[in-house]
Amino acid sequence: MASLDLSRDVVTLTADLVDIASESQQEQEIADAVEAALTPLAHLEVVRDQHSIVARTSLGRDERVVIAGHLDTVPANANLPSRLDGDVLWGLGSCDMKGGVAVALRTAATVPEPTRDVTYVFYEAEEIAAEFNGLGRLARERPDLLAADFAILMEPSNAQVEAGCQGTMRVDVVTRGERAHSARSWNGVNAIHAASDVLARLTSYEPRQVTIDGMLYREGMNAVGISGGVAGNVIPDEARVSVNYRFAPDRSESEALAHVRDLFDGYELVVTDSAPGALPGLDRPAAAAFIEAIGVDVAPKFGWTDVAQFSQLGVPAVNYGPGDPLYAHKADEHVPVAHLTAVEEALTRWLTR
Amino acid sequence: MASLDLSRDVVTLTADLVDIASESQQEQEIADAVEAALTPLAHLEVVRDQHSIVARTSLGRDERVVIAGHLDTVPANANLPSRLDGDVLWGLGSCDMKGGVAVALRTAATVPEPTRDVTYVFYEAEEIAAEFNGLGRLARERPDLLAADFAILMEPSNAQVEAGCQGTMRVDVVTRGERAHSARSWNGVNAIHAASDVLARLTSYEPRQVTIDGMLYREGMNAVGISGGVAGNVIPDEARVSVNYRFAPDRSESEALAHVRDLFDGYELVVTDSAPGALPGLDRPAAAAFIEAIGVDVAPKFGWTDVAQFSQLGVPAVNYGPGDPLYAHKADEHVPVAHLTAVEEALTRWLTR
């Protein structure tokens, strides 16, 4: 069985985590190793839920914070095992997000008496369909374990704080026509031609920009798929444009859908996917104190992350972790050593001052 | 082995042909039966080429005509065996085009001394990719067997004469963009949005109408397929609109392509399919004499048929056969008895007067 030595430096620990393969739904070995490393620590109460681990201090502090990271990765892409080259650590999951997990494990081990009570959460199955997500399961079945004043999700964010996240919705806009042989096209109605107006509305659409807690969120309304056609000699009777709306977190899912319905007024719509955004919550005392203590830049988060799950639980949350998210899911995934040490140093400082 | 009795009436003969299953590339049995029925006729010289049969009179007439039909059908669709119900014969291939084949076989048997020399052609594999087409193979390898002053293709045409045929061309119009995460769409260029202009050009396109030999040909320019999209969270970098141009037979394939290039000026085009049209050729003496003798209406042919192959050989050709082409390839395929008897009567009259 793989084992983790939390007394090693954060770079070595990240490399050791990378070298425990943990593609989604194959997290048993890494969860066993994390559980085995945390259980001996007397200041932590460790709870395991399937392949997710929760470890909590109970010092009676005024405030409780969650520090969370997922243990799984996307499938390998010829990027295992890990390789340290100068000031960069390469390998699957080094960026997304075993670097963040390593920082959290280090903090769990080295800060036995944090100035805020801490709930560490290491969870499974973030990279696949939401129904498997370990954090989601905890939120549904053990919300008591996630209760907190503030949450830090250690997703890669260039060692900067990214606050909130935008919501995302996918909708099929359907056009209909009438089939006919294409040699006698005047007997039919071309559903692909009818999609011309749908694309025209998208092309002339001006995405909203909105400032929340001082940060500028930029929305987006984009066709991410289009399909139609029966055969090379048939006027098609149906076409579908799959539209992805990324909406700022001041809009609820139902407001977002109303906006999409308004834009495509007159068309048949099928909602295929929807997830709410999360407000940055930087006006909440716990969040403001964190930002001030960490002393780094704060930017809006555009991509959807699990901070939205905390938001649904009423817990303000930010993304803060080592690694550039542009390298997540890429063959050349890597994390700068400087990010690992900077984030560890800042978190430790915040939990000890 | 199935056998055909050419002394039976044309309706019975059509039913017997329907009951010899002959899906494309399974024509051996029907070709054997046709060859066996024609070989005893002393006035015909019979040549077999794979599963295509050519039978010719050689009476030294001033004029030679081809009368042709394909032996294959599309796959069965719960429409076998044949069924005669009142004045309609039902079954796979009854319309497309065993009714026409039955008429030609009857004429071959009952008119031993036609006033024009006749080349009967019964060929395989018309319903599948052009490379297998038996008429095409004869045109390439035995053009001498197809030499004639005029050709009648007995494709279903409601017992009317349909002259010439339109050409057909399929072109993919490709738009390109740049991928990006859809949460940061401003970093990419959306290729599906770029297709908006392609569809707009199609929607505002006014198809040409042209009169040739007194008949009005209506062209068509239609999207028959559209595709694009990488994943639900990715700005797509490519989209393809498959456009089918049906062009009047006064335009060559290269003229048709120039017209398409002009319409989609500025876009990348990929030609995926192209077949020339066929001029009606009603100004040619043999054709004019046929029209006059048959005494039925003449209409332009919009769909592409093998008359274009004769046109390429310099032989004017028309479609003239029993059955409504709208029922070709349908489960409820059928042919009216009145069409079978009318076409047999007219052809016989033309060949004996």
Side-chain angles (χ1 to χ4, degrees):
Chain A
M1 183 184 123
S3 72
L4 297 169
D5 181 351
L6 304 189
S7 71
R8 307 288 300 273
D9 68 280
V10 69
V11 180
T12 301
L13 186 56
T14 302
D16 288 348
L17 285 164
V18 168
D19 292 338
I20 304 174
S22 60
E23 186 177 331
S24 304
Q25 300 193 306
Q26 298 169 35
E27 298 97 336
Q28 170 144 13
E29 185 178 7
I30 198 167
D32 288 349
V34 167
E35 184 183 17
L38 292 173
T39 301
L41 302 176
H43 61 283
L44 294 174
E45 175 202 5
V46 177
V47 176
R48 177 158 178 163
D49 179 69
Q50 298 190 24
H51 299 321
S52 297
I53 315 289
V54 179
R56 295 152 51 94
T57 65
S58 294
L59 300 164
R61 305 299 194 213
D62 292 342
E63 210 172 62
R64 175 174 289 280
V65 298
V66 167
I67 297 177
H70 63 81
L71 296 172
D72 63 320
T73 68
V74 295
N77 189 0
N79 49 5
L80 279 179
S82 65
R83 179 171 58 85
L84 181 63
D85 185 3
D87 51 5
V88 174
L89 179 70
W90 300 80
L92 175 66
S94 56
C95 171
D96 184 14
M97 60 179 284
K98 289 179 174 180
V101 168
V103 169
L105 285 171
R106 281 285 295 163
T107 313
T110 62
V111 185
E113 296 195 353
T115 52
R116 298 146 170 93
D117 271 314
V118 183
T119 303
Y120 295 97
V121 181
F122 304 99
Y123 62 100
E124 64 185 318
E126 191 266 354
E127 298 288 7
I128 54 175
E131 62 185 301
F132 303 108
N133 186 301
L135 188 66
R137 197 180 58 245
L138 286 168
R140 285 192 304 276
E141 298 178 7
R142 294 295 306 274
D144 57 303
L145 286 179
L146 300 182
D149 301 289
F150 182 54
I152 301 165
L153 189 61
M154 303 205 66
E155 286 276 1
S157 56
N158 279 310
Q160 305 296 309
V161 174
E162 294 186 337
C165 78
Q166 297 206 129
T168 177
M169 176 171 289
R170 263 174 286 271
V171 176
D172 280 358
V173 185
V174 185
T175 60
R176 302 209 180 268
E178 204 174 311
R179 288 191 198 187
H181 195 291
S182 65
R184 293 179 196 80
S185 50
W186 50 90
N187 291 333
V189 178
N190 195 316
I192 294 176
H193 292 197
S196 175
D197 171 60
V198 174
L199 296 186
R201 294 189 195 189
L202 281 168
T203 305
S204 64
Y205 179 83
E206 300 216 354
R208 195 171 69 110
Q209 304 198 356
V210 58
T211 299
I212 306 170
D213 289 357
M215 290 181 299
L216 184 69
Y217 285 89
R218 298 179 66 172
E219 298 195 336
M221 182 80 72
N222 272 277
V224 290
I226 191 166
S227 63
V230 177
N233 60 355
V234 177
I235 301 302
D237 57 351
E238 183 182 303
R240 279 174 186 260
V241 185
S242 175
V243 175
N244 184 208
Y245 178 35
R246 299 282 177 154
F247 52 97
D250 63 332
R251 278 195 167 157
S252 68
E253 287 174 278
S254 62
E255 288 168 340
L257 179 56
H259 179 66
V260 171
R261 285 198 191 286
D262 195 45
L263 177 59
F264 297 109
D265 187 36
Y267 288 97
E268 179 182 339
L269 296 189
V270 181
V271 177
T272 59
D273 188 33
S274 177
L279 285 164
L282 298 183
D283 54 339
R284 306 275 280 269
F290 171 76
I291 302 299
E292 191 197 335
I294 295 292
V296 296
D297 290 341
V298 182
K301 183 72 175 176
F302 295 115
W304 192 91
T305 80
D306 270 332
V307 298
Q309 301 219 47
F310 288 106
S311 184
Q312 294 290 96
L313 292 169
V315 181
V318 297
N319 297 282
Y320 174 55
D324 183 337
L326 289 180
Y327 292 102
H329 305 188
K330 297 281 177 65
D332 60 349
E333 185 172 350
H334 62 271
V335 64
V337 166
H339 284 192
L340 295 170
T341 53
V343 174
E344 181 186 17
E345 191 277 327
L347 262 194
T348 303
R349 178 157 33 87
W350 181 56
L351 291 175
T352 53
R353 81 171 192 175
Chain B
M1 182 185 124
S3 71
L4 297 169
D5 180 350
L6 304 189
S7 70
R8 306 288 299 274
D9 67 280
V10 69
V11 180
T12 302
L13 185 57
T14 302
D16 288 348
L17 286 164
V18 168
D19 292 339
I20 304 174
S22 60
E23 187 178 329
S24 304
Q25 300 192 306
Q26 297 169 34
E27 298 97 336
Q28 170 145 10
E29 185 178 5
I30 198 166
D32 288 349
V34 167
E35 184 183 15
L38 293 173
T39 300
L41 302 176
H43 61 283
L44 294 175
E45 175 201 4
V46 177
V47 175
R48 178 159 179 163
D49 178 71
Q50 298 189 22
H51 298 322
S52 298
I53 314 290
V54 179
R56 295 152 51 94
T57 64
S58 293
L59 300 164
R61 305 300 193 210
D62 290 342
E63 209 172 63
R64 174 173 289 281
V65 298
V66 166
I67 298 177
H70 63 81
L71 296 173
D72 63 319
T73 69
V74 296
N77 189 359
N79 50 6
L80 280 179
S82 64
R83 180 171 57 85
L84 181 64
D85 186 3
D87 51 5
V88 174
L89 178 70
W90 301 80
L92 174 66
S94 56
C95 170
D96 185 14
M97 56 178 288
K98 290 180 174 179
V101 168
V103 169
L105 285 170
R106 282 285 294 162
T107 313
T110 62
V111 186
E113 295 195 352
T115 51
R116 296 146 171 93
D117 270 313
V118 184
T119 303
Y120 295 98
V121 180
F122 305 99
Y123 62 101
E124 64 186 316
E126 190 267 354
E127 298 288 8
I128 54 176
E131 62 185 301
F132 302 109
N133 186 302
L135 187 66
R137 196 180 57 244
L138 286 169
R140 286 191 304 274
E141 297 178 8
R142 295 296 306 272
D144 57 303
L145 286 178
L146 301 182
D149 300 289
F150 181 56
I152 301 166
L153 189 61
M154 304 206 65
E155 286 275 1
S157 57
N158 278 311
Q160 305 295 309
V161 173
E162 293 185 338
C165 79
Q166 297 206 129
T168 178
M169 176 172 289
R170 262 175 286 271
V171 176
D172 279 0
V173 185
V174 185
T175 60
R176 302 210 180 268
E178 204 174 312
R179 288 192 196 187
H181 196 290
S182 65
R184 293 180 195 81
S185 51
W186 51 91
N187 291 334
V189 178
N190 194 316
I192 295 176
H193 293 198
S196 175
D197 171 59
V198 174
L199 296 186
R201 294 189 195 189
L202 281 169
T203 305
S204 63
Y205 179 83
E206 301 214 355
R208 195 171 69 111
Q209 303 198 358
V210 58
T211 299
I212 305 170
D213 290 357
M215 290 181 300
L216 185 70
Y217 284 89
R218 297 179 66 171
E219 298 196 336
M221 183 80 73
N222 273 278
V224 291
I226 192 165
S227 63
V230 177
N233 60 356
V234 176
I235 300 303
D237 57 351
E238 183 182 302
R240 278 174 188 260
V241 185
S242 175
V243 174
N244 184 206
Y245 179 34
R246 299 280 176 155
F247 52 98
D250 63 333
R251 277 195 168 157
S252 68
E253 286 175 279
S254 62
E255 287 167 341
L257 180 55
H259 179 65
V260 171
R261 285 200 191 284
D262 194 45
L263 177 59
F264 297 110
D265 187 37
Y267 288 97
E268 178 183 339
L269 297 188
V270 181
V271 177
T272 59
D273 188 33
S274 177
L279 285 164
L282 299 183
D283 54 340
R284 305 276 278 268
F290 171 76
I291 302 299
E292 191 197 335
I294 296 290
V296 295
D297 290 341
V298 182
K301 183 72 175 178
F302 294 114
W304 192 91
T305 78
D306 271 331
V307 299
Q309 301 219 47
F310 288 106
S311 185
Q312 294 290 95
L313 292 169
V315 181
V318 298
N319 298 281
Y320 174 55
D324 182 337
L326 289 180
Y327 293 103
H329 305 191
K330 297 283 177 63
D332 60 350
E333 185 173 350
H334 62 271
V335 63
V337 166
H339 284 192
L340 295 169
T341 52
V343 174
E344 182 187 17
E345 192 276 325
L347 262 193
T348 302
R349 179 159 32 84
W350 181 55
L351 290 175
T352 53
R353 82 170 194 176

